[in-house]
Amino acid sequence: MKIIHSPTDVVPAVLTESPGTKSHRAYTQIRADILSCHHLPGTKLNIAGLAADLDVSLGAVREALSMLQSEALVVSEPQRGYTVSPVSPKELADITEARIAIEALCLRTSIERGDLAWESRLVASWHKLSRLSQTDAGKDQHLSETWSRAHADFHAELVGACGNDWLLRMRAMLYEQSERYRRMSVSMPQQTGTRDVPAEHKAIFDAVMERDVERAVAALETHLRKTATIVRSSVAL
Amino acid sequence: MKIIHSPTDVVPAVLTESPGTKSHRAYTQIRADILSCHHLPGTKLNIAGLAADLDVSLGAVREALSMLQSEALVVSEPQRGYTVSPVSPKELADITEARIAIEALCLRTSIERGDLAWESRLVASWHKLSRLSQTDAGKDQHLSETWSRAHADFHAELVGACGNDWLLRMRAMLYEQSERYRRMSVSMPQQTGTRDVPAEHKAIFDAVMERDVERAVAALETHLRKTATIVRSSVAL
DNA sequence: TAAGACGAAAATATAGAAAAATCCAGACCC
DNA sequence: GGGTCTGGATTTTTCTATATTTTCGTCTTA
């Protein structure tokens, strides 16, 4: 009789795309569960429970949580374990303001320094984003996963020529936090009425392609602020 | 014959001010050793060796290193262990530019929002800093530890009324990185000739007390840029 | 009702096993 | 002769199972 291997054995490395270590697999898994709000903000994370779920040891989970702490997705109190980072209107406001400032900074230098190769990459990701629908055909509850990916790529590409690794790292962190808030907010029926997201993206894109820094920064700020407003009113904080 | 204890043994727990966990003690110790350049940038950190030195288990060291990774003081490659974050002129430039931008941002809001209590705290830390000498009387090689502390407090207090926890967290991170570079640079004999650090601090302080945002930001930028220039020319990268 | 003791649960710590990478000597080919 | 490859030996990282310590809730008792 043929023996069925456990899932971890048969899943090829390329699919998980995580470095072989179990800590990293646990990290990836827990991270996804937090971002998808499977673990709700503010809830306590039971180390033993997670270890059982993920079929790894306590130490591995502990290390994974350490990694997540560096992304501010979980917080720890000594001797009292880990909890999913709580959310609050104040936090959302802070993140939004910080993000606007830093994205603007990155965008400025990116436009100034960006060469033809960057422009080409930007055109590519813009094209992809503009041809995708925000929602999947099947269920209009949540945003399409492909669209989210394309959206992230487009925003990353905008600042791709910035060159300052530290600013980019901070930008990435803030983007991720914003995403967490966005995903927490329930489906966005009110958006469609009051808002034209593709038009906002186009405004940014056009300004960037014309190398009009001020207009691009202003368009980006408008885009981010509108998103934050929607999320704030939509999510139950 | 009397046995000489290793430094880590004789330091009382109250001095380190760490939460009881051994992981955190290890973290504090390794962190200090990196900042003081006892562990040089780019060197590999042997987990077993550290565990032996600090008299804790592998797991505790591993967790401490995880924490340090979140501060970007160490980097890890899966299956290949941890190394002290390398330094480079590019990195120094990135950190400096990012720091100038973010400190300026924080200072702006801090001046706008700062109340009397903040002003009072700022006066206090300014007073302390202004009365301390940069170098210890005994050895003029390195900066005085008390002065460094007061300097950090003063700069932290400047932006203390900013209110945006995310920006402040990033500021703290960048300050720490700058400190690492500064401590790496050898003693600063050339500074005394070309530079008057207390005057630079006074310029910032005066502008802030007069609530002159633009002048304060300009003074701060000058201060940070000068420091970076000195460090870049002084340190062997 | 409040203080204290007890027990369960959870976090932290440790030592040793397993897995992976590195190192080194010797063989082989050009 | 020089350079490259191969196969273990060794070191180092990673993982697990277990032990210890701390915290939290509960139940008793004054």
Side-chain angles (χ1 to χ4, degrees):
Chain A
M1 188 184 186
K2 196 134 186 283
I3 292 174
I4 306 292
H5 295 83
S6 77
T8 45
D9 290 325
V10 294
V11 170
V14 63
L15 213 166
T16 62
E17 193 160 356
S18 59
T21 75
K22 296 207 176 181
S23 298
H24 202 279
R25 273 215 298 284
Y27 158 79
T28 307
Q29 185 64 49
I30 298 173
R31 186 170 180 279
D33 285 346
I34 290 175
L35 287 178
S36 70
C37 289
H38 185 239
H39 299 304
L40 292 169
T43 54
K44 196 160 176 332
L45 291 168
N46 185 316
I47 297 181
L50 286 170
D53 289 350
L54 303 173
D55 196 35
V56 295
S57 72
L58 292 315
V61 173
R62 177 163 269 279
E63 183 147 2
L65 291 172
S66 264
M67 295 178 193
L68 289 166
Q69 193 173 17
S70 74
E71 294 181 43
L73 288 177
V74 306
V75 292
S76 83
E77 265 194 292
Q79 233 85 18
R80 204 158 305 178
Y82 293 83
T83 59
V84 181
S85 295
V87 295
S88 69
K90 158 84 163 71
E91 185 100 348
L92 176 58
D94 282 0
I95 290 169
T96 305
E97 288 310 313
R99 193 175 160 210
I100 286 170
I102 289 178
E103 292 255 13
L105 221 57
C106 293
L107 186 57
R108 258 174 221 285
T109 42
S110 193
I111 292 174
E112 283 164 13
R113 297 185 191 172
D115 57 3
L116 182 59
W118 166 69
E119 240 181 64
S120 310
R121 287 197 304 275
L122 182 59
V123 169
S125 46
W126 159 252
H127 180 77
K128 191 171 190 182
L129 179 63
S130 64
R131 297 304 169 96
L132 286 171
S133 166
Q134 276 189 71
T135 53
D136 276 329
K139 53 174 190 175
D140 54 354
Q141 276 293 94
H142 290 65
L143 291 174
S144 150
E145 197 53 48
T146 2
W147 185 86
S148 288
R149 178 67 67 93
H151 184 245
D153 285 347
F154 173 67
H155 273 280
E157 207 56 79
L158 280 173
V159 297
C162 157
N164 189 323
D165 292 338
W166 275 85
L167 282 177
L168 287 177
R169 197 180 310 170
M170 290 172 174
R171 191 209 75 90
M173 213 163 152
L174 290 166
Y175 183 88
E176 186 163 81
Q177 290 291 328
S178 298
E179 273 293 291
R180 178 156 164 265
Y181 275 88
R182 191 175 66 65
R183 289 191 191 212
M184 246 173 44
S185 78
V186 292
S187 63
M188 324 189 162
Q190 69 269 47
Q191 250 195 51
T192 45
T194 64
R195 202 179 170 198
D196 187 354
V197 175
E200 288 174 28
H201 286 141
K202 183 160 171 22
I204 303 170
F205 176 69
D206 287 345
V208 169
M209 291 305 287
E210 291 174 29
R211 306 270 175 168
D212 186 336
V213 174
E214 297 310 325
R215 194 150 59 83
V217 167
L220 180 62
E221 175 166 351
T222 303
H223 177 59
L224 297 181
R225 224 178 271 285
K226 276 192 183 172
T227 304
T229 305
I230 299 275
V231 169
R232 184 172 55 239
S233 63
S234 161
V235 75
L237 297 173
Chain B
M1 188 183 189
K2 195 135 185 281
I3 292 173
I4 306 293
H5 295 83
S6 78
T8 46
D9 288 327
V10 294
V11 172
V14 63
L15 214 165
T16 60
E17 193 166 354
S18 59
T21 75
K22 294 206 177 185
S23 299
H24 203 278
R25 272 214 298 282
Y27 158 79
T28 307
Q29 185 64 49
I30 298 172
R31 187 170 179 280
D33 285 347
I34 290 175
L35 287 177
S36 69
C37 289
H38 185 239
H39 299 304
L40 291 169
T43 53
K44 195 159 176 332
L45 291 168
N46 185 316
I47 298 181
L50 287 171
D53 288 350
L54 303 174
D55 195 36
V56 294
S57 71
L58 291 314
V61 172
R62 177 162 271 278
E63 182 144 69
L65 291 172
S66 264
M67 295 179 194
L68 288 166
Q69 193 173 16
S70 74
E71 295 181 42
L73 288 177
V74 307
V75 292
S76 84
E77 265 194 294
Q79 236 88 29
R80 203 156 306 177
Y82 292 82
T83 59
V84 181
S85 295
V87 295
S88 69
K90 159 87 163 70
E91 185 99 349
L92 176 59
D94 283 0
I95 290 170
T96 304
E97 289 309 315
R99 195 176 158 207
I100 286 170
I102 289 178
E103 293 255 13
L105 223 56
C106 293
L107 186 57
R108 257 173 223 285
T109 41
S110 193
I111 291 175
E112 283 164 13
R113 296 185 193 173
D115 57 4
L116 181 59
W118 166 67
E119 240 181 63
S120 310
R121 287 197 305 275
L122 182 59
V123 169
S125 46
W126 158 252
H127 180 76
K128 191 172 190 180
L129 179 63
S130 66
R131 296 305 169 94
L132 286 170
S133 166
Q134 275 190 74
T135 53
D136 275 329
K139 52 177 193 174
D140 54 355
Q141 277 292 93
H142 291 65
L143 290 174
S144 150
E145 197 53 48
T146 4
W147 186 87
S148 289
R149 178 68 64 89
H151 184 245
D153 286 347
F154 174 67
H155 273 279
E157 207 58 78
L158 281 172
V159 297
C162 158
N164 189 322
D165 292 338
W166 275 85
L167 282 178
L168 287 177
R169 197 179 312 170
M170 290 171 174
R171 191 209 76 89
M173 214 162 149
L174 290 166
Y175 182 88
E176 185 163 80
Q177 290 291 329
S178 298
E179 272 292 293
R180 178 156 164 264
Y181 274 87
R182 190 174 65 66
R183 289 192 191 212
M184 248 174 44
S185 77
V186 292
S187 63
M188 323 189 162
Q190 70 268 46
Q191 251 195 47
T192 46
T194 64
R195 203 180 169 199
D196 187 353
V197 175
E200 289 174 29
H201 285 141
K202 182 160 174 19
I204 303 170
F205 176 70
D206 287 345
V208 170
M209 291 305 288
E210 290 173 30
R211 307 271 175 166
D212 186 337
V213 174
E214 296 312 323
R215 194 149 60 82
V217 167
L220 180 62
E221 174 165 351
T222 304
H223 177 58
L224 297 182
R225 222 177 273 286
K226 276 191 183 172
T227 304
T229 306
I230 299 276
V231 169
R232 183 171 58 241
S233 63
S234 162
V235 75
L237 297 172

